[in-house]
């Protein structure tokens, strides 16, 4: 193995830069050349890339975003796009490609496999933490802290005005981030797909009324996962108001994707980036370098999107039975 490629794909996540640094430094130590593709798979198809040396990744461990930029790549859903990507990888004589991203990026990687003769390896990087086979994905810990910082601030004003707030957090189709943020912020209610596929307005209203009966007028925070309500938290606030529940909606949105990675993400990113390169050298193929029970390990790439990653059912039960009021 002489030359490997790396790219960051899909929603960027804090810690992607730390991961790129670990990949490049470990590759350098193993006398491998690294080509970094710009804007995810788009850079492979459009031949936009640069050589990455330790010099390029020095001083980036603390930076949010990604040095290589990120994007989704619809062309990877077409046979022409896949063939073009494989042919460009072959022209560059790349022995392997490392993909840092989430389940969508891994699906693209798997689709590429029949056309590309080199090795393919994934590293989980997404704030959603919805990749099966890794305890955590790079970026989740930072996004959680960012959400908490915001919700704590919302709590201050909610307390002052004895108000009800809906706080919408990201997570795509999963509620991992919503559950973690809701538990850690001491939210009175968490609404996420893992708890109920359909949202019941009567139940939400009843919950709020019960809490107010127990505690009198007080702040009340509902953390809601995005995609749980058509039109989002803003529309839900309007619909709750029509049932006599006056509330304010706050959508945290993309701020959850930005910012300096917290220590846990820098460490995870370093561990997985280094491990991925070492495993490539050992011959790993079509695997994800993940963290399994706190240790770096390999997990079949094909299984990463198979099951729905489980949220902590113990904490959820506690939230519903004990902490709801
Ligand atoms: O996958 C990361 C993520 O931030 C999701 O939480 C969110 O649903 C999605 O990306 C947003 O995508 P975009 O930045 O394309 O709007």
């Amino acid at each position: 193995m002489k030359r490997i490629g790396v790219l960051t794909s899909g929603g960027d996540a804090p810690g992607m830069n730390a991961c790129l640094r670990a990949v490049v430094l470990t590759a350098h130590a193993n006398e491998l050349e690294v080509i970094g593709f710009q804007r995810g798979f788009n850079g492979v198809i459009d031949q936009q890339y640069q050589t990455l040396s330790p010099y390029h990744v020095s001083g980036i461990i603390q930076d949010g975003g990604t040095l290589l930029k990120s994007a989704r790549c619809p062309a990877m859903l077409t046979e022409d796009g896949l063939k073009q990507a494989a042919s460009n990888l072959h022209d560059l004589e790349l022995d392997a490609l490392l993909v840092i991203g989430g389940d969508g990026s891994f699906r693209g990687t798997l689709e590429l496999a029949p056309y590309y003769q080199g090795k393919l390896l994934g590293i989980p990087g997404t704030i959603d933490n919805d990749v099966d086979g890794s305890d955590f994905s790079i970026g989740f810990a930072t996004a959680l802290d960012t959400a908490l910082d915001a919700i704590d601030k919302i709590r201050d004003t909610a307390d002052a005005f004895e108000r009800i707030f809906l706080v919408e957090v990201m997570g795509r189709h999963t509620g991992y981030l919503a559950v973690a943020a809701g538990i850690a912020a001491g939210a009175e209610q968490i609404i996420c797909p893992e708890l109920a596929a359909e949202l019941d307005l009567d139940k939400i209203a009843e919950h709020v009324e019960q809490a107010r009966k127990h505690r009198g007028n007080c702040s009340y925070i509902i953390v809601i996962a995005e995609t749980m309500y058509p039109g989002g938290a803003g529309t839900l606030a309007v619909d709750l108001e029509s049932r006599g529940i006056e509330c304010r909606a706050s959508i945290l949105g993309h701020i959850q994707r930005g910012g300096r990675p917290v220590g846990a993400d820098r460490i995870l990113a370093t561990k997985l980036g280094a491990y991925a390169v070492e495993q490539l050298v050992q011959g790993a193929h079509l695997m994800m370098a993940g963290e399994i029970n706190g240790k770096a390990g390999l997990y079949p790439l094909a299984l990463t999107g198979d099951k729905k990653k489980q949220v902590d059912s113990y904490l959820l039960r506690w939230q519903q039975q004990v902490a709801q009021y």
Side-chain angles (χ1 to χ4, degrees):
M1 187 162 291
K2 283 201 184 105
R3 185 180 294 151
I4 64 171
V6 65
L7 55 87
T8 49
S9 167
D12 50 285
M16 280 182 162
N17 276 326
C19 189
L20 288 172
R21 172 180 174 269
V23 165
V24 171
L25 294 183
T26 312
H28 186 72
N30 283 276
E31 292 174 9
L32 297 174
E33 196 185 331
V34 182
I35 302 288
F37 292 97
Q38 299 279 332
R39 297 179 292 110
F41 283 104
N42 297 291
V44 180
I45 292 173
D46 304 338
Q47 295 178 297
Q48 291 186 334
Y49 53 84
Q50 64 184 102
T51 300
L52 292 176
S53 71
Y55 167 79
H56 296 107
V57 294
S58 119
I60 65 165
I61 194 168
Q62 71 274 30
D63 294 341
T66 156
L67 168 78
L68 290 176
K69 313 233 173 277
S70 192
R72 302 197 168 87
C73 181
M76 287 296 281
L77 300 171
T78 68
E79 194 176 3
D80 283 354
L82 291 165
K83 282 185 175 159
Q84 186 63 56
S87 148
N88 291 349
L89 293 171
H90 292 144
D91 286 351
L92 283 168
E93 296 181 5
L94 285 183
D95 300 304
L97 178 69
L98 265 173
V99 175
I100 308 169
D103 61 340
S105 310
F106 292 168
R107 269 197 304 278
T109 310
L110 287 164
E111 295 286 325
L112 181 63
Y115 305 96
Y116 174 53
Q117 276 147 29
K119 308 237 183 292
L120 293 164
L121 217 79
I123 302 177
T126 163
I127 64 163
D128 303 336
N129 200 30
D130 59 350
V131 178
D132 240 333
S134 187
D135 303 344
F136 293 104
S137 55
I138 297 164
F140 167 73
T142 307
L144 172 58
D145 272 11
T146 302
L148 281 180
D149 186 49
I151 301 171
D152 289 348
K153 286 174 175 149
I154 289 169
R155 177 69 80 179
D156 290 345
T157 175
D159 269 342
F161 264 71
E162 299 174 313
R163 253 184 186 148
I164 301 160
F165 266 89
L166 283 162
V167 184
E168 183 181 296
V169 300
M170 277 188 165
R172 200 170 281 273
H173 305 298
T174 64
Y176 208 98
L177 191 52
V179 171
I183 296 281
E188 280 72 16
Q189 201 175 154
I190 299 171
I191 300 174
C192 64
E194 288 78 2
L195 273 176
E198 299 258 316
L199 190 151
D200 182 338
L201 279 184
D202 290 332
K203 263 199 181 153
I204 298 173
E206 188 192 313
H207 198 287
V208 175
E209 276 152 13
Q210 283 293 324
R212 295 214 140 174
K213 217 154 85 192
H214 278 80
R215 294 190 304 174
N217 259 5
C218 55
S219 66
Y220 185 100
I221 291 183
I222 302 173
V223 171
I224 178 167
E226 65 172 334
T227 72
M228 277 306 285
Y229 200 67
T235 310
L236 178 57
V238 173
D239 291 350
L240 282 173
E241 287 211 28
S242 69
R243 285 169 196 245
I245 308 279
E246 195 203 331
C247 57
R248 296 284 188 274
S250 196
I251 297 164
L252 301 190
H254 288 79
I255 63 160
Q256 293 159 104
R257 289 234 297 255
R260 292 158 77 89
V262 297
D265 272 331
R266 298 184 199 192
I267 291 167
L268 179 67
T270 301
K271 189 194 319 192
L272 298 189
Y275 183 73
V277 174
E278 283 175 7
Q279 290 305 309
L280 271 184
V281 172
Q282 302 288 321
H285 179 42
L286 289 179
M287 303 296 271
M288 176 184 74
E291 187 181 49
I292 306 166
N293 296 327
K295 283 205 157 47
L298 291 178
Y299 190 81
L301 206 54
L303 300 183
T304 53
D306 250 23
K307 293 180 276 153
K308 213 166 164 40
K309 194 175 173 70
Q310 296 299 303
V311 294
D312 191 326
S313 56
Y314 173 79
L315 273 177
L316 263 189
R317 211 169 34 248
W318 179 83
Q319 167 72 24
Q320 286 181 300
Q321 293 171 356
V322 180
Q324 59 175 333
Y325 304 133

